[in-house]
Structure formats: structure tokens, C-alpha cells
Amino acid sequence: MSDASDAAPAHDPDPVLPGSALTRSARLRAMLNSAPLEFLMEAHNGLSARIVREAGFRGIWASGLAISAQFGVRDNNEASWTQIVDMLEFMVDASDLPILLDGDTGYGNFNNLRRLVRKLEQRGVAGVCIEDKQFPKTNSFLNGERQPLADIDEFAGKIAAGKDTQRDPNFCIVARVEALIAGWGMEEALRRAEAYRRAGADAILIHSKLARADEIVTFAREWAGRAPLVIVPTRYYSTPTQVFRDAGVSVVIWANHMVRAAICAMQTLAREVHASQTLVNVEDRIAPVGEIFRLQDAAEYTAAEELYLSAASTARSAVVLAAGRGTGLEPLTEVRPKIMLPIAGRPLLRWLLDAFKKEGINEVTVVGGYRAEAIDPAGVRLLLNERHAQTGELVSLACALPGLRTDTLVCYGDLLFRSYVLRDLLETEADFAVVVDSSPPGLHNRTVRDFAVCSHADERELFGRPALLQHVGPEADGGHGRWIGMLYVRRTGLERLKAALAGLRLRADFEQLDMPALLNALVGDGAQVEVRYVHGHWRGVNDLEEFRHAGDFAHGQSTADDVPRPDAGRGDD
Ligand code: SPV
Ligand code: MG
């Protein structure tokens, strides 16, 4: 059987509803056999199948006309039957509704139908409707009266072959009678319908091209409920639906209205955009891109990615803290935050993004605050610490924390550095790692709050013994260097980072706390924070003096060899 769940629950209040434990074929069968009038809506691809389901329909007509039209070909079996079946697979995946395929003539003789039935069952299609014409067919509304009908016995044999082939007892074969369309008259139509019923057809589709439902109603009266009746009121569309109910019809097919609606919408839009050469007039009248994502269930993908991909992921992200105005650069930060200061012709942020990209950090979150509107959002996720004027760095970090899933660099927004500084940091395998500059603190020309006390000093010639951070603070005594404003957190350390931040939140002064407080909390909590020593090769941009030198440094960065010279100190400019 085609669906995984075959058994009907003992008491199903509505066996036709999608999502019920019934298979799709069982639901289609129930629609055909139930007393109330049911409706199938046309769909022609995965997207339209999803839209039909969301509108509340309980079943889908996979129209031959509409599917060939969306391929841009004629309804003359120009699309191959396997192309149709491939499309059905998308439709089955996009919607849990039962699908009745408009299978034309079965794409050949009894043997072609047998293979079709097998393939449809395998793909979860609930049933097929075949019409008593000859392959290759043409649409019934195109010179319908000129079209030759199938031999009645040959067609009955085809139905029997299909019924004998199906494995799922609920798979439905609907026999479509074209005698009225072809002008053979009511008697022939009834004769054929009866022959097809006897051959095993689960329902009869009686087709008419008249603008009134008269011959359908007459047929239904004469037929007298010998098998479920299906109709396609494309031409007699103005007939009140109650007429079909009163006639005892089982299922009405709205056969081509989704593709016609799409054609109309696309023509209007294309003409208008072509004429006006702008999108501004149409944007609000069409589905937002987000609606496409919703219909594609993009959110499920994102969730699955987190579940299955993050463990093996080499993805890296960065959080850039750029909310504060800082002091020392007031004349330059009237209209923009520090991260947008031009350094050698480009905003500081662009230098950072370049450096990140080189190391495969593609997901960058910038937490802005002061003059955040001046931050160029291209290529970054921009978050806002609205209370930046009253709060410290940890409040900004907390804005970005919920979105973090991968290895993450937390970095100040006013940093320039040689690329090896970041590369070496990312090579550490510890959950937490920081960059500490071991060049003499005396060279720093401002009050520094982030001296680093480490387990041991920089042993520049003795590689292999990573130092661990012990404390960061303003006290130079005993310090082994200066933390430059970069913290790398492995994915495996994120929970601990979040816990440390949550712990700090309990402090009354949390809103004023900066990154050193977090580093100290991590260390205090027993986390090993590995130290990567550098000796210069980076710049902060904290005052006019530093700003003036930053341009030269950045220039050197883009042209210089990135390998550090062993004796190069902070004064490498
Ligand atoms: C279809 O939708 O392709 C049909 C119905 O076969 S009709 O076009 O009305 O013949
Ligand atoms: Mg058709």
C-alpha cells in the first residue's frame, strides 16, 4: 500500500479530513462514497498543491490540462507520463491531501495503465481518472465532437487491468465518459458508464461541454446512483452548486482554476513591470518573499539544520560589539559610531568583515546602539541594544546570545589586527580562547581596564604550552599582557557562556558590566580560557592618536606579509 498508515481508527469523526490516520486513498474513496457533496480543486505542482490544502480542500485534481500548461506544452500528451508522475511526487510531498490524477487515456493501452497504477501507488497518489478516448488525446473542449472514442470493450479491459494491478484496495479508478462531449448521445453515455462500472470502476466521471447542467442532471437521474458520480462544471460554472447536490453528484471537480488564476496574476504583473520599469507599484500587491519561504516550510529546514548539521558543522560566526559611543573620538563620532569610521578609505566594519571572511566566518552579528542607523547592514545581522547609553557590553552581548549556535568569535568593533591574530585564535581547540598582547604595557597610551593575568608569561620561543587566563582587570600589577578584545567560544562552550552570563545577570550592577567581567566569571566558574599571545600586530581605535595610526596599520595589513616577524613589537607601524 502506498501510505504508511493503512488502518483506519475505529471511530474517526471525519474520515475525509487531511491529517487523519486514514490513507490518502481511503480518504479519496470516502469522498467518492460519502453522501455529502465533496470538492476536488485543481493543482498543477507542489506549490499549488500546498495552497489548495491550506485553503481547506480535502482533495486535489491533478489536472492534465493544468500540468501541461504549467510546463508550457499542450494538453496532447506532449509531456511524457513519467514527467507527470514526477510532478505528482512533488505534489504528494507538498500536501497531505488525496490526489486524483487526471490520467488522460492511461497513456496507452491496458499495459501502460498497469504500469501507471503501480507507479502512482508507489508515489502515494490516491487514484487515477482515465477517459475513454484514444492516445494521444486532446483536451475535450478542443473540437471534442471530432475526437474518436475508445472501443468500449477495450476501455473496459483497461479498467479491469488497472483494478487487478492495484495493491492498495482503496486506490480509486474513475472512468470518464466522453460520449456526451463527442456527440454520441445520452444512451451511449449511459451504456458506457454501465460497462465501465461492471469492469470495476470506482466512480463515473460524466463530462459535458454545455453551458447548462441539463445533460449532467439528466444523466444523473438515469444513472440513479449505480456508482458515485463525478462532474467537471468548467462550462456550466454558473449552475448553483445545490443543483449538483440535488442531482446526487458525489464529487465536483474545479478543474483548472488554480492555473487560470496564476496566469491572470502573472500576466498583470509582467505587463505592469515591463511598462513601468519599476517594482514600486507592484510590491504591495504580490506575495512577500517570506510567504514563499513559509509555503516551502523553510523554518523546518532551519530547525533540522540545527539538529543535524551543527554537530558536524565547521560554520563559524562572530558577534561584534559596537553599541557604545566610547570616549576619546567625540569629534569623529557625531554622526556615526566608531565601527563606521573610515580607516584607509573604508569603514572599520568592512576591515573586520574582510578579516572574518578570510577565516570562514560568514555569519556576523553586529550589536549596534549609538548611531546604529549609520551602520551599513550589508552582509551582517544588525541587532540593536536600545539602552546602549545606560548599559555595558554584556547587555549588548546578551542581545546576540540567543541566536548563537556555532563556534563564535566575540569581538570589539574598534579593532584592527593582522590576519594571523585571528587565524591563530581560531586554531585553538579549547572551548574558550582569548588573544593577549604581551608587548610592554607601558606602550599603551590610555587607561587600560583589561590587563590579563595568565598562568604564565608569553614564552615566545617555547611553543606548545598554552597559558590559561586567570583574571582580566585594570590592575597592571602582575599582568602578562593586555586582552585585545577577542574571545573565541567553541560551540561546545556556548552553554557555559550563556550560564556565566545568566549568573552575572543576578548582580545588581549587571547592566554596567563589560566583557572582562564575563571572562572573570568564566574563569571563576572553572572554565579553561586559553591564551593566545601576540606581540603587537593589532590596533584599537580609541582616540585621535590611534585613529591617525589606524590608516597606516590597515594599509600595511592589506599589503604586508601576514606572517609576524618574531621581533616585531607593537611598534610595527
Ligand atoms: C483537465 O483538467 O485536464 C480535464 C478536465 O481533463 S477538462 O479540461 O475539463 O477536460
Ligand atoms: Mg484532462
Side-chain angles (χ1 to χ4, degrees):
M1 294 200 188
S2 51
D3 284 14
S5 52
D6 298 324
H11 304 287
D12 194 325
D14 188 345
V16 181
L17 268 184
S20 80
L22 285 185
T23 62
R24 300 183 203 234
S25 53
R27 278 181 274 146
L28 179 60
R29 180 164 293 279
M31 290 178 83
L32 290 170
N33 291 331
S34 66
L37 184 63
E38 297 279 356
F39 302 89
L40 296 182
M41 175 53 105
E42 171 258 309
H44 48 269
N45 56 22
L47 180 67
S48 54
R50 164 90 35 132
I51 290 172
V52 166
R53 185 198 69 179
E54 288 189 351
F57 282 98
R58 285 132 81 90
I60 288 174
W61 169 247
S63 156
L65 173 64
I67 292 175
S68 50
Q70 65 79 44
F71 278 132
V73 299
R74 288 169 288 216
D75 191 13
N76 292 72
N77 299 118
E78 290 187 342
S80 73
W81 74 274
T82 53
Q83 288 172 322
I84 303 291
V85 170
D86 283 347
M87 181 58 87
L88 283 165
E89 189 170 50
F90 283 103
M91 295 168 66
V92 167
D93 288 344
S95 157
D96 58 357
L97 294 185
I99 297 176
L100 177 64
L101 168 65
D102 169 11
D104 293 343
T105 59
Y107 313 115
N109 71 4
F110 78 93
N111 192 45
N112 300 92
L113 181 70
R114 291 197 303 186
R115 189 160 169 77
L116 178 67
V117 168
R118 274 200 297 275
K119 293 297 134 186
L120 294 180
E121 284 195 323
Q122 286 167 6
R123 309 258 172 142
V125 177
V128 64
C129 174
I130 51 171
E131 60 199 55
D132 55 354
K133 293 200 303 224
Q134 294 181 20
F135 180 86
K137 51 68 61 97
T138 197
N139 188 272
S140 301
F141 297 139
L142 278 172
N143 300 321
E145 61 289 341
R146 291 223 306 265
Q147 295 182 37
L149 294 191
D151 174 81
I152 187 167
D153 295 328
E154 189 263 337
F155 195 71
K158 193 184 273 187
I159 294 166
K163 291 307 293 178
D164 288 345
T165 299
Q166 73 185 58
R167 302 217 171 114
D168 170 4
N170 285 320
F171 185 85
C172 299
I173 297 187
V174 178
R176 166 165 158 180
V177 176
E178 289 283 299
L180 299 179
I181 298 267
W184 291 39
M186 187 61 67
E187 220 168 289
E188 177 68 7
L190 287 161
R191 195 167 74 87
R192 283 176 173 260
E194 177 59 13
Y196 304 158
R197 184 189 71 81
R198 284 173 180 273
D202 298 293
I204 299 297
L205 189 158
I206 182 68
H207 207 7
S208 168
K209 62 181 179 196
L210 300 187
R212 293 163 53 90
D214 301 13
E215 54 182 17
I216 292 298
V217 171
T218 307
F219 181 95
R221 192 174 55 239
E222 299 291 325
W223 181 249
R226 275 177 276 169
L229 268 193
V230 180
I231 61 168
V232 181
T234 302
R235 281 283 163 85
Y236 47 98
Y237 63 88
S238 59
T239 308
T241 300
Q242 189 57 37
V243 172
F244 307 144
R245 280 199 181 89
D246 295 343
V249 169
S250 284
V251 171
V252 169
I253 295 176
W254 311 124
N256 45 43
H257 301 80
M258 293 290 286
V259 79
R260 285 165 63 189
I263 288 169
C264 196
M266 289 192 282
Q267 285 172 332
T268 306
L269 178 111
R271 281 194 204 112
E272 187 165 336
V273 174
H274 178 257
S276 64
Q277 300 190 344
T278 173
L279 297 174
V280 71
N281 303 316
V282 298
E283 178 62 27
D284 294 341
R285 284 190 276 127
I286 57 179
V289 173
E291 176 62 359
I292 307 178
F293 295 149
R294 189 191 67 77
L295 286 162
Q296 291 169 314
D297 214 356
E300 191 279 336
Y301 176 82
T302 309
E305 202 176 33
E306 265 168 39
L307 193 59
Y308 302 119
L309 215 50
S310 60
S313 173
T314 54
R316 290 168 172 160
S317 53
V319 175
V320 181
L321 302 176
R325 181 177 186 179
T327 52
L329 280 165
E330 282 77 359
L332 296 173
T333 55
E334 276 295 316
V335 293
R336 54 168 91 87
K338 275 204 278 183
I339 197 167
M340 291 307 289
L341 284 178
I343 308 288
R346 330 161 56 209
L348 189 40
L349 173 59
R350 294 256 73 88
W351 289 102
L352 281 174
L353 289 179
D354 280 2
F356 293 164
K357 290 234 176 290
K358 263 194 205 167
E359 302 305 328
I361 299 177
N362 292 314
E363 209 179 298
V364 179
T365 302
V366 175
V367 186
Y370 173 74
R371 292 278 184 227
E373 72 284 354
I375 296 178
D376 177 2
V380 304
R381 183 171 72 119
L382 187 56
L383 299 181
L384 196 61
N385 173 4
E386 290 182 358
R387 302 188 54 247
H388 60 90
Q390 304 92 38
T391 59
E393 291 156 8
L394 293 193
V395 171
S396 293
L397 180 63
C399 297
L401 217 53
L404 300 184
R405 309 239 166 347
T406 54
D407 297 350
T408 301
L409 173 76
V410 182
C411 176
Y412 286 159
D414 55 2
L415 274 191
L416 288 166
F417 45 85
R418 294 271 186 267
S419 49
Y420 86 89
V421 172
L422 178 56
R423 196 184 318 131
D424 282 4
L425 179 68
L426 301 185
E427 270 171 16
T428 53
E429 282 172 9
D431 277 356
F432 304 98
V434 290
V435 179
V436 171
D437 181 6
S438 62
S439 49
L443 287 178
H444 301 299
N445 59 1
R446 67 187 191 106
T447 323
V448 174
R449 55 166 200 192
D450 38 21
F451 287 112
V453 181
C454 308
S455 57
H456 57 263
D458 187 4
E459 305 163 323
R460 294 168 63 199
E461 62 286 1
L462 302 173
F463 298 108
R465 195 165 68 108
L468 296 177
L469 188 72
Q470 290 180 340
H471 185 77
V472 179
E475 318 83 10
D477 288 356
H480 298 98
R482 181 180 168 192
W483 177 58
I484 75 166
M486 277 185 179
L487 163 68
Y488 188 46
V489 186
R490 290 271 173 193
R491 191 175 49 82
T492 43
L494 281 174
E495 281 316 311
R496 196 160 193 176
L497 184 83
K498 289 175 187 177
L501 200 68
L504 290 173
R505 266 183 195 280
L506 303 175
R507 280 174 49 171
D509 59 348
F510 172 71
E511 295 213 325
Q512 270 61 57
L513 294 181
D514 286 331
M515 283 297 291
L518 180 63
L519 293 174
N520 292 331
L522 281 168
V523 170
D525 181 43
Q528 303 227 318
V529 180
E530 206 171 292
V531 172
R532 283 279 158 151
Y533 280 117
V534 294
H535 207 71
H537 298 120
W538 68 283
R539 284 282 177 280
V541 186
N542 290 297
D543 54 31
L544 285 170
E545 173 83 3
E546 288 185 345
F547 176 65
R548 264 194 292 277
H549 285 111
D552 295 341
F553 181 85
H555 246 315
Q557 186 178 355
S558 55
T559 52
D561 182 358
D562 276 333
V563 178
R565 286 160 285 143
D567 58 345
R570 187 174 166 79
D572 59 311
D573 42 352

